[in-house]
């Protein structure tokens, strides 16, 4: 295995890890919303703060996923 193959394998593993984290956060957000009839304006202040924190973390993971995708695609070329 070359260094490039090893780097590519690591990037794929990193991407898979980030996708799993994203999906977990997304499910947690969905569950929180479902517990409040799908509306954040019905949440307690504590739940709303939790919702905003989870959404921010999910957004960060989404951006990380896109950056890793670009690295993986550029390596393919």
């Amino acid at each position: 295995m070359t260094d490039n193959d090893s780097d590519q394998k690591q990037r794929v593993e990193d991407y898979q890890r980030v996708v799993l984290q994203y999906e977990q956060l997304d499910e947690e957000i969905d569950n929180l919303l479902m517990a409040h009839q799908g509306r954040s304006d019905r949440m307690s202040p504590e739940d709303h703060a939790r919702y905003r924190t989870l959404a921010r973390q999910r957004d960060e993971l989404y951006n990380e996923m896109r950056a890793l995708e670009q690295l993986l695609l550029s390596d393919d070329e």
Side-chain angles (χ1 to χ4, degrees):
M1 184 182 298
T2 67
D3 285 341
N4 191 34
D5 290 341
S6 179
D7 289 345
Q8 183 75 352
K9 183 177 185 242
Q10 184 60 50
R11 286 184 185 128
V12 168
E13 289 172 0
D14 290 344
Y15 178 77
Q16 290 171 329
R17 176 187 49 80
V18 171
V19 168
L20 288 174
Q21 289 174 331
Y22 176 90
E23 289 173 348
Q24 289 171 342
L25 279 176
D26 195 52
E27 184 175 345
E28 196 170 339
I29 289 168
D30 287 346
N31 291 337
L32 190 56
L33 282 168
M34 286 189 324
H36 295 88
Q37 296 80 39
R39 296 180 54 182
S40 63
D41 61 338
R42 293 186 175 179
M43 293 179 185
S44 68
E46 295 81 15
D47 283 345
H48 195 267
R50 178 77 178 140
Y51 169 75
R52 294 304 309 146
T53 298
L54 292 171
R56 210 171 5 266
Q57 291 172 348
R58 183 184 60 183
D59 290 347
E60 290 170 7
L61 286 169
Y62 181 83
N63 291 336
E64 189 176 347
M65 280 176 15
R66 295 298 166 236
L68 287 167
E69 285 173 359
Q70 289 302 314
L71 279 174
L72 289 168
L73 290 173
S74 69
D75 285 349
D76 285 345
E77 295 173 355

